Amino acid sequence: MTLIQTATAVRRNAHAPYSKFKVGAAVQATSGTVYAGCNVENVAYPEGTCAEAGAIAAMCAAGEYEIAEVAVIADSPAPVPPCGGCRQKIAEFANAAVPVTLATTGGDSSVTSVSALLPGAFDASHMS
Ligand code: THU
């Protein structure tokens, strides 16, 4: 299964009764193992979580902390870009060159990178 196929499959489990916008994400750790996540909304809107956050949490829960590749999919008119918070979350575990595939359920996709998504990222070096 490709990373986008995994993201497509997990998207079906999204809990998005408020936005009706289901998102699926998959991250492949450097070990090769793939972790999936979907958005989980809440009636208290700010408590909702993004698909990328779910996939990253699953990876960490399995004891892995290094991302090799990311894929995100939604039923959007153009390939869906991660929100700002998710860009920072991805950058926590992925180096600048890591590819991020953005896709639509209609079959459109584009590939970008962590550094293109979050130029000038705040990182640990800024605290030294
Ligand atoms: N959403 C994600 O899961 N990932 C993104 O990168 C963009 C937004 C979710 C959050 C919310 O449940 C819904 O999409 C609408 O914003």
Side-chain angles (χ1 to χ4, degrees):
M1 219 193 306
T2 67
L3 218 49
I4 277 295
Q5 284 170 334
T6 299
T8 300
V10 73
R11 179 180 167 274
R12 287 188 214 107
N13 298 336
H15 175 69
Y18 308 106
S19 72
K20 318 269 189 228
F21 189 67
K22 293 185 162 200
V23 185
V27 298
Q28 181 157 40
T30 49
S31 68
T33 303
V34 171
Y35 300 93
C38 54
N39 54 330
V40 181
E41 298 183 349
N42 192 281
V43 65
Y45 291 1
E47 298 306 323
T49 51
C50 285
E52 297 90 328
I56 289 168
M59 179 187 76
C60 291
E64 296 213 57
Y65 304 93
E66 217 178 310
I67 294 174
E69 204 174 330
V70 182
V72 188
I73 190 163
D75 181 13
S76 52
V80 63
C83 76
C86 285
R87 293 175 195 217
Q88 186 75 38
K89 288 182 177 76
I90 291 167
E92 179 73 14
F93 302 103
N95 70 44
V98 161
V100 182
T101 300
L102 315 175
T104 72
T105 53
D108 228 7
S109 72
S110 67
V111 182
T112 182
S113 66
V114 169
S115 58
L117 286 170
L118 195 63
F122 172 67
D123 63 29
S125 70
H126 295 104
M127 296 195 296
S128 53

